[in-house]
Amino acid sequence: MTASLFTSVRVIDGSGDAPFAAEVLVKGNRIAEVARSPETIDAPDATVIDGGGATLMPGLTDAHAHLSFLNAASLGDLTKLTPEAHVLETAKVARLLLDHGYTSMFSGSSARPHTDIAIRDAINAGDIPGPRLLAATQQLTVTGGFGDLGRKGTFASVALDGADAFRHACREAARDGVDIFKIVPSAPGSGPDVLAEDTAMTDAEVAAVCEVARQRNRQVAAHARSAEAVKMCLRHGVDMIYHATLADDEAKDMLEAAKDRVFVAPAMGLPYARLRDAESYGIATDDFTRARATKEIETVSATMAELHQRGVRVLPGGDYGFKWNPHGKNARDLSMFVECFGFTPLQAIRAATAWGSQLISAGLGLGAELGQVKEGYLADLILVDGDPSLEIDILQDRDRLLAIMKDGAFHKAPPTEPLVSRQAAE
Ligand SMILES: [Zn+2]
C-alpha cells in the first residue's frame, strides 16, 4: 500500500476549527493518522512531503456545477456542438476543475441527457481525470417555464406537463444512471418587480419527482426562486434548493426546521460576474439585466446571511460554465460568501468541504468519511501555498495549489525540491 506523510503543514480540517500545525499520514486512499504538533508520526515506509508551513486542507466541493455548459455565451449556445464533440469538451472541463482543487462536484444539470453520466463513469473508471461527480438530468421544466424557449428550442431542458410526465422522465433517468433529478419549480414572472417569479410546477409534479427519487434512492435538486417554490420543495422532500432568493419568513422557518436534511446553494456567481466581468468578455449588459442582477445580489445576500445565522447549510456553487462566469473560477464563491453573506473564511471553507461533502456523500452512498482532514476519511486533499483562513482569495489561484490528491493519488504531485527552501527563496 502506498503511503505519503505530510510534515510541517498547517491543517485546516474542514470542520470550521482554527488551523493547527500537524503531520498527516495517508495510506492507500485514506487518511490514516493526524498528529498535532508536537506529536509526530513514525512511518518509515512513507514518502515524506515536507510542507514547509503550507496549508493542508480537504479538496473543494461545488454544489451547483454544470460541467457540460462549455462557457456558453448564451443559453441557446449550450447545445450547439454535436453530442460527440460535446462530451470530449466536457472531459476537458472535468480535468480543469480538478486542476483547481475541486475533488467533488454535485451537478446542477447536464446540457444533454447522458453527458454527465458518461463523464462520471469515465472518471470513475480512471479513463479521464476529474472530481467525484454526481450526474444530473437536464433541467426538467414545464411548458413555458424557465428553460423552455418555445420555437427557439430549449436550453438544455425538457418541458414536461403533469405528474405522469415527470414520473416517466425520472424513471427513465434513473434507469439510465443519473444521480440527481433537476427540476425547475419557479420561472421569471411578469410583475413590475425585476425579481418577480411565478411558481410554475404543481405540487403533484414535485411530489411525483420526489416519490421516484425516494424509491430509486436518487437526489432532487430544484431551481426555486419564489417563496412558494421553496415551500413546495420543502413539503415534498427536495434535497437541494438552488437560489431561494425570495424566501419569505414562512419559507425561512421551513428551511430552518428542515436544516438537518436540506441544503441551499444560492448560485450567485452568474449575477455577480455579470456586473463585474461581462464587459471584459465582450458581453453587453442591458439596463434590465443590470437592475435584476443588482437586486438579486442584494436580496440573495440578505437571505443567505439570515439562513446561515439560523443554521441552514448554505453551500458554494455558482453556475460556472458561462462565457462571463467560466469554469475554473469556482473558488470565487468562497470569497463571495465572505464578502456578501458574512461568513468567516473558515466558515466558507467548511461550507465548501465538510458540508458540501455531506451532500455528495448521500449520493455516493458514503457515511461520514469525506470532506475533512480526519483519521479514516478519504484522502481528497489540497496543499495550499499560504493560509486561506487569512486570505480566502488565494484558493482562486491554481498556482498556489502545490499538490492535489484525490482518493489517495496525486493528481498534481508536490514539487520535488523541498517546499521549505522553495518558500524561503521567494
Ligand atoms: Zn444552474
Side-chain angles (χ1 to χ4, degrees):
M1 194 187 295
T2 58
S4 302
L5 176 62
F6 294 91
T7 63
S8 302
V9 288
R10 285 170 62 72
V11 169
I12 294 178
D13 67 7
S15 69
D17 291 348
F20 54 89
E23 296 191 349
V24 176
L25 177 66
V26 173
K27 275 189 182 170
N29 69 340
R30 300 252 171 198
I31 296 165
E33 198 177 342
V34 179
R36 288 185 186 238
S37 179
E39 300 289 313
T40 57
I41 296 172
D42 186 31
D45 297 334
T47 305
V48 175
I49 297 136
D50 183 336
T55 301
L56 188 69
M57 58 177 278
L60 300 169
T61 299
D62 190 300
H64 188 139
H66 296 288
L67 273 68
S68 54
F69 288 16
L70 303 169
N71 297 343
S74 73
L75 299 178
D77 275 358
L78 288 173
T79 46
K80 269 193 168 164
L81 293 177
T82 63
E84 295 80 2
H86 200 142
V87 79
L88 289 170
E89 290 299 316
T90 305
K92 291 184 199 166
V93 174
R95 177 186 198 114
L96 179 81
L97 294 169
L98 191 52
D99 289 343
H100 282 269
Y102 277 81
T103 49
S104 290
M105 315 289 292
F106 183 93
S107 178
S109 81
S110 179
R112 287 192 154 88
H114 302 111
T115 315
D116 271 3
I117 297 168
I119 293 294
R120 176 202 64 197
D121 291 351
I123 293 170
N124 290 345
D127 295 334
I128 59 170
R132 299 178 195 270
L133 175 64
L134 292 181
T137 57
Q138 293 179 288
Q139 298 202 102
L140 308 180
T141 188
V142 296
T143 298
F146 179 59
D148 177 20
L149 304 180
R151 282 188 299 278
K152 286 186 275 178
T154 59
F155 115 69
S157 305
V158 192
L160 305 164
D161 296 289
D164 280 346
F166 276 92
R167 194 177 286 114
H168 179 73
C170 290
R171 284 180 175 160
E172 253 185 5
R175 178 198 67 197
D176 294 348
V178 307
D179 304 297
I180 301 157
F181 304 147
K182 167 68 181 292
I183 58 173
V184 189
S186 80
S190 48
D193 189 314
V194 288
L195 290 188
E197 285 271 332
D198 296 337
T199 301
M201 284 179 71
T202 64
D203 267 294
E205 289 166 340
V206 177
V209 170
C210 291
E211 185 185 18
V212 179
R214 276 190 291 275
Q215 289 172 329
R216 304 307 309 276
N217 198 23
R218 312 293 152 138
Q219 287 168 291
V220 182
H223 168 109
R225 279 197 156 90
S226 72
E228 178 51 28
V230 173
K231 291 174 210 173
M232 194 182 268
C233 289
L234 287 161
R235 282 199 292 275
H236 300 293
V238 167
D239 303 279
M240 163 49 85
I241 296 177
Y242 291 138
H243 309 301
T245 314
L246 301 171
D248 57 15
D249 286 341
E250 188 188 7
K252 288 173 191 163
D253 289 345
M254 288 172 74
L255 282 165
E256 185 178 348
K259 67 182 161 59
D260 295 330
R261 175 186 79 62
V262 78
F263 296 87
V264 171
M268 207 171 79
L270 271 183
Y272 188 91
R274 171 62 86 165
L275 292 183
R276 282 163 182 76
D277 301 336
E279 262 171 42
S280 65
Y281 289 99
I283 292 177
T285 301
D286 59 39
D287 289 347
F288 176 82
T289 306
R290 181 168 297 280
R292 192 169 197 266
T294 302
K295 192 157 184 195
E296 170 94 10
I297 289 168
E298 276 171 26
T299 310
V300 169
S301 296
T303 302
M304 294 309 141
E306 183 178 347
L307 291 177
H308 182 227
Q309 289 295 328
R310 290 181 178 219
V312 176
R313 289 169 294 181
V314 177
L315 303 186
D319 256 328
Y320 296 88
F322 290 90
K323 190 173 180 186
W324 67 96
N325 194 45
H327 291 297
K329 291 228 173 206
N330 307 54
R332 199 191 51 204
D333 259 55
L334 281 76
S335 300
M336 196 192 300
F337 272 44
V338 172
E339 180 197 329
C340 302
F341 307 158
F343 280 56
T344 66
L346 283 169
Q347 288 171 339
I349 290 168
R350 175 177 63 185
T353 57
W355 285 357
S357 296
Q358 289 165 8
L359 172 72
I360 295 279
S361 296
L364 293 174
L366 297 172
E369 52 190 312
L370 187 66
Q372 295 192 52
V373 183
K374 211 167 160 181
E375 206 171 297
Y377 274 54
L378 290 161
D380 286 7
L381 298 166
I382 55 177
L383 185 64
V384 186
D385 179 12
D387 183 349
S389 72
L390 301 175
E391 294 177 274
I392 191 74
D393 292 351
I394 63 178
L395 291 172
Q396 297 177 49
D397 182 356
R398 64 191 270 184
D399 294 335
R400 301 289 287 266
L401 305 181
L402 302 170
I404 300 164
M405 174 180 269
K406 181 191 150 201
D407 208 31
F410 280 112
H411 169 66
K412 179 177 184 178
T416 45
E417 77 267 32
L419 293 173
V420 66
S421 60
R422 200 191 70 83
Q423 294 209 322
E426 278 169 1

PDB file of all heavy atoms in Angstrom, residues 146-165:
ATOM      1  N   PHE A 146     -38.981  28.228 -17.127  1.00  0.00           N
ATOM      2  CA  PHE A 146     -37.583  28.604 -17.308  1.00  0.00           C
ATOM      3  C   PHE A 146     -36.839  27.478 -18.018  1.00  0.00           C
ATOM      4  O   PHE A 146     -36.850  26.340 -17.571  1.00  0.00           O
ATOM      5  CB  PHE A 146     -36.963  28.891 -15.941  1.00  0.00           C
ATOM      6  CG  PHE A 146     -35.522  29.273 -15.994  1.00  0.00           C
ATOM      7  CD1 PHE A 146     -35.104  30.383 -16.712  1.00  0.00           C
ATOM      8  CD2 PHE A 146     -34.575  28.529 -15.316  1.00  0.00           C
ATOM      9  CE1 PHE A 146     -33.768  30.743 -16.759  1.00  0.00           C
ATOM     10  CE2 PHE A 146     -33.224  28.881 -15.354  1.00  0.00           C
ATOM     11  CZ  PHE A 146     -32.829  29.993 -16.079  1.00  0.00           C
ATOM     12  N   GLY A 147     -36.229  27.788 -19.155  1.00  0.00           N
ATOM     13  CA  GLY A 147     -35.500  26.778 -19.914  1.00  0.00           C
ATOM     14  C   GLY A 147     -36.235  26.351 -21.170  1.00  0.00           C
ATOM     15  O   GLY A 147     -35.609  25.854 -22.106  1.00  0.00           O
ATOM     16  N   ASP A 148     -37.547  26.530 -21.205  1.00  0.00           N
ATOM     17  CA  ASP A 148     -38.312  26.191 -22.415  1.00  0.00           C
ATOM     18  C   ASP A 148     -38.412  27.441 -23.274  1.00  0.00           C
ATOM     19  O   ASP A 148     -39.129  28.385 -22.928  1.00  0.00           O
ATOM     20  CB  ASP A 148     -39.711  25.683 -22.040  1.00  0.00           C
ATOM     21  CG  ASP A 148     -40.553  25.402 -23.283  1.00  0.00           C
ATOM     22  OD1 ASP A 148     -39.963  25.223 -24.376  1.00  0.00           O
ATOM     23  OD2 ASP A 148     -41.797  25.370 -23.165  1.00  0.00           O
ATOM     24  N   LEU A 149     -37.669  27.458 -24.371  1.00  0.00           N
ATOM     25  CA  LEU A 149     -37.620  28.655 -25.212  1.00  0.00           C
ATOM     26  C   LEU A 149     -38.598  28.571 -26.381  1.00  0.00           C
ATOM     27  O   LEU A 149     -38.488  29.309 -27.353  1.00  0.00           O
ATOM     28  CB  LEU A 149     -36.193  28.868 -25.736  1.00  0.00           C
ATOM     29  CG  LEU A 149     -35.095  28.953 -24.670  1.00  0.00           C
ATOM     30  CD1 LEU A 149     -33.725  29.163 -25.326  1.00  0.00           C
ATOM     31  CD2 LEU A 149     -35.359  30.055 -23.675  1.00  0.00           C
ATOM     32  N   GLY A 150     -39.559  27.640 -26.329  1.00  0.00           N
ATOM     33  CA  GLY A 150     -40.592  27.556 -27.358  1.00  0.00           C
ATOM     34  C   GLY A 150     -40.018  27.252 -28.719  1.00  0.00           C
ATOM     35  O   GLY A 150     -39.232  26.327 -28.878  1.00  0.00           O
ATOM     36  N   ARG A 151     -40.358  28.075 -29.711  1.00  0.00           N
ATOM     37  CA  ARG A 151     -39.939  27.795 -31.091  1.00  0.00           C
ATOM     38  C   ARG A 151     -38.420  27.879 -31.247  1.00  0.00           C
ATOM     39  O   ARG A 151     -37.858  27.346 -32.182  1.00  0.00           O
ATOM     40  CB  ARG A 151     -40.621  28.770 -32.063  1.00  0.00           C
ATOM     41  CG  ARG A 151     -42.074  28.399 -32.355  1.00  0.00           C
ATOM     42  CD  ARG A 151     -42.650  29.277 -33.458  1.00  0.00           C
ATOM     43  NE  ARG A 151     -42.661  30.679 -33.101  1.00  0.00           N
ATOM     44  CZ  ARG A 151     -43.600  31.243 -32.357  1.00  0.00           C
ATOM     45  NH1 ARG A 151     -44.604  30.528 -31.897  1.00  0.00           N
ATOM     46  NH2 ARG A 151     -43.550  32.535 -32.063  1.00  0.00           N
ATOM     47  N   LYS A 152     -37.764  28.589 -30.329  1.00  0.00           N
ATOM     48  CA  LYS A 152     -36.297  28.689 -30.420  1.00  0.00           C
ATOM     49  C   LYS A 152     -35.616  27.445 -29.843  1.00  0.00           C
ATOM     50  O   LYS A 152     -34.402  27.398 -29.720  1.00  0.00           O
ATOM     51  CB  LYS A 152     -35.812  29.949 -29.691  1.00  0.00           C
ATOM     52  CG  LYS A 152     -36.122  31.225 -30.465  1.00  0.00           C
ATOM     53  CD  LYS A 152     -35.509  32.450 -29.818  1.00  0.00           C
ATOM     54  CE  LYS A 152     -36.430  32.978 -28.737  1.00  0.00           C
ATOM     55  NZ  LYS A 152     -35.893  34.146 -28.016  1.00  0.00           N
ATOM     56  N   GLY A 153     -36.425  26.469 -29.471  1.00  0.00           N
ATOM     57  CA  GLY A 153     -35.856  25.235 -28.947  1.00  0.00           C
ATOM     58  C   GLY A 153     -35.771  25.283 -27.429  1.00  0.00           C
ATOM     59  O   GLY A 153     -36.521  26.007 -26.789  1.00  0.00           O
ATOM     60  N   THR A 154     -34.890  24.531 -26.878  1.00  0.00           N
ATOM     61  CA  THR A 154     -34.767  24.512 -25.427  1.00  0.00           C
ATOM     62  C   THR A 154     -33.339  24.838 -25.053  1.00  0.00           C
ATOM     63  O   THR A 154     -32.425  24.733 -25.856  1.00  0.00           O
ATOM     64  CB  THR A 154     -35.087  23.113 -24.866  1.00  0.00           C
ATOM     65  OG1 THR A 154     -34.169  22.189 -25.453  1.00  0.00           O
ATOM     66  CG2 THR A 154     -36.513  22.705 -25.150  1.00  0.00           C
ATOM     67  N   PHE A 155     -33.167  25.246 -23.822  1.00  0.00           N
ATOM     68  CA  PHE A 155     -31.795  25.401 -23.342  1.00  0.00           C
ATOM     69  C   PHE A 155     -31.552  24.277 -22.361  1.00  0.00           C
ATOM     70  O   PHE A 155     -31.954  24.325 -21.221  1.00  0.00           O
ATOM     71  CB  PHE A 155     -31.559  26.815 -22.798  1.00  0.00           C
ATOM     72  CG  PHE A 155     -31.275  26.961 -21.352  1.00  0.00           C
ATOM     73  CD1 PHE A 155     -30.077  26.510 -20.811  1.00  0.00           C
ATOM     74  CD2 PHE A 155     -32.192  27.564 -20.523  1.00  0.00           C
ATOM     75  CE1 PHE A 155     -29.816  26.670 -19.468  1.00  0.00           C
ATOM     76  CE2 PHE A 155     -31.928  27.722 -19.187  1.00  0.00           C
ATOM     77  CZ  PHE A 155     -30.742  27.276 -18.649  1.00  0.00           C
ATOM     78  N   ALA A 156     -30.981  23.226 -22.889  1.00  0.00           N
ATOM     79  CA  ALA A 156     -30.559  22.104 -22.051  1.00  0.00           C
ATOM     80  C   ALA A 156     -31.670  21.664 -21.102  1.00  0.00           C
ATOM     81  O   ALA A 156     -31.421  21.347 -19.952  1.00  0.00           O
ATOM     82  CB  ALA A 156     -29.300  22.499 -21.288  1.00  0.00           C
ATOM     83  N   SER A 157     -32.899  21.693 -21.580  1.00  0.00           N
ATOM     84  CA  SER A 157     -34.051  21.424 -20.729  1.00  0.00           C
ATOM     85  C   SER A 157     -35.042  20.516 -21.450  1.00  0.00           C
ATOM     86  O   SER A 157     -35.020  20.399 -22.673  1.00  0.00           O
ATOM     87  CB  SER A 157     -34.783  22.729 -20.388  1.00  0.00           C
ATOM     88  OG  SER A 157     -33.901  23.660 -19.817  1.00  0.00           O
ATOM     89  N   VAL A 158     -35.913  19.901 -20.665  1.00  0.00           N
ATOM     90  CA  VAL A 158     -37.029  19.148 -21.224  1.00  0.00           C
ATOM     91  C   VAL A 158     -38.296  19.731 -20.626  1.00  0.00           C
ATOM     92  O   VAL A 158     -38.380  19.875 -19.403  1.00  0.00           O
ATOM     93  CB  VAL A 158     -36.973  17.657 -20.821  1.00  0.00           C
ATOM     94  CG1 VAL A 158     -37.953  16.853 -21.646  1.00  0.00           C
ATOM     95  CG2 VAL A 158     -35.575  17.104 -20.946  1.00  0.00           C
ATOM     96  N   ALA A 159     -39.260  20.099 -21.479  1.00  0.00           N
ATOM     97  CA  ALA A 159     -40.520  20.641 -20.973  1.00  0.00           C
ATOM     98  C   ALA A 159     -41.525  19.508 -20.789  1.00  0.00           C
ATOM     99  O   ALA A 159     -41.792  18.752 -21.732  1.00  0.00           O
ATOM    100  CB  ALA A 159     -41.062  21.690 -21.935  1.00  0.00           C
ATOM    101  N   LEU A 160     -42.071  19.386 -19.597  1.00  0.00           N
ATOM    102  CA  LEU A 160     -42.998  18.303 -19.253  1.00  0.00           C
ATOM    103  C   LEU A 160     -44.223  18.909 -18.594  1.00  0.00           C
ATOM    104  O   LEU A 160     -44.132  19.962 -17.968  1.00  0.00           O
ATOM    105  CB  LEU A 160     -42.335  17.339 -18.262  1.00  0.00           C
ATOM    106  CG  LEU A 160     -40.992  16.734 -18.680  1.00  0.00           C
ATOM    107  CD1 LEU A 160     -40.291  16.145 -17.466  1.00  0.00           C
ATOM    108  CD2 LEU A 160     -41.217  15.668 -19.741  1.00  0.00           C
ATOM    109  N   ASP A 161     -45.342  18.226 -18.700  1.00  0.00           N
ATOM    110  CA  ASP A 161     -46.557  18.709 -18.049  1.00  0.00           C
ATOM    111  C   ASP A 161     -47.306  17.553 -17.417  1.00  0.00           C
ATOM    112  O   ASP A 161     -47.599  16.569 -18.090  1.00  0.00           O
ATOM    113  CB  ASP A 161     -47.451  19.423 -19.075  1.00  0.00           C
ATOM    114  CG  ASP A 161     -46.780  20.672 -19.623  1.00  0.00           C
ATOM    115  OD1 ASP A 161     -46.656  21.656 -18.876  1.00  0.00           O
ATOM    116  OD2 ASP A 161     -46.333  20.636 -20.788  1.00  0.00           O
ATOM    117  N   GLY A 162     -47.554  17.707 -16.131  1.00  0.00           N
ATOM    118  CA  GLY A 162     -48.329  16.702 -15.403  1.00  0.00           C
ATOM    119  C   GLY A 162     -47.436  15.736 -14.640  1.00  0.00           C
ATOM    120  O   GLY A 162     -46.293  15.461 -15.035  1.00  0.00           O
ATOM    121  N   ALA A 163     -47.989  15.204 -13.555  1.00  0.00           N
ATOM    122  CA  ALA A 163     -47.202  14.321 -12.681  1.00  0.00           C
ATOM    123  C   ALA A 163     -46.710  13.083 -13.427  1.00  0.00           C
ATOM    124  O   ALA A 163     -45.573  12.643 -13.237  1.00  0.00           O
ATOM    125  CB  ALA A 163     -48.047  13.917 -11.474  1.00  0.00           C
ATOM    126  N   ASP A 164     -47.542  12.542 -14.295  1.00  0.00           N
ATOM    127  CA  ASP A 164     -47.135  11.320 -15.007  1.00  0.00           C
ATOM    128  C   ASP A 164     -45.938  11.565 -15.917  1.00  0.00           C
ATOM    129  O   ASP A 164     -45.049  10.713 -16.030  1.00  0.00           O
ATOM    130  CB  ASP A 164     -48.301  10.775 -15.852  1.00  0.00           C
ATOM    131  CG  ASP A 164     -49.286   9.995 -14.993  1.00  0.00           C
ATOM    132  OD1 ASP A 164     -48.931   9.663 -13.832  1.00  0.00           O
ATOM    133  OD2 ASP A 164     -50.410   9.739 -15.470  1.00  0.00           O
ATOM    134  N   ALA A 165     -45.928  12.727 -16.567  1.00  0.00           N
ATOM    135  CA  ALA A 165     -44.805  13.040 -17.461  1.00  0.00           C
ATOM    136  C   ALA A 165     -43.507  13.178 -16.661  1.00  0.00           C
ATOM    137  O   ALA A 165     -42.448  12.683 -17.072  1.00  0.00           O
ATOM    138  CB  ALA A 165     -45.104  14.329 -18.233  1.00  0.00           C
TER     139      ALA A 165
END
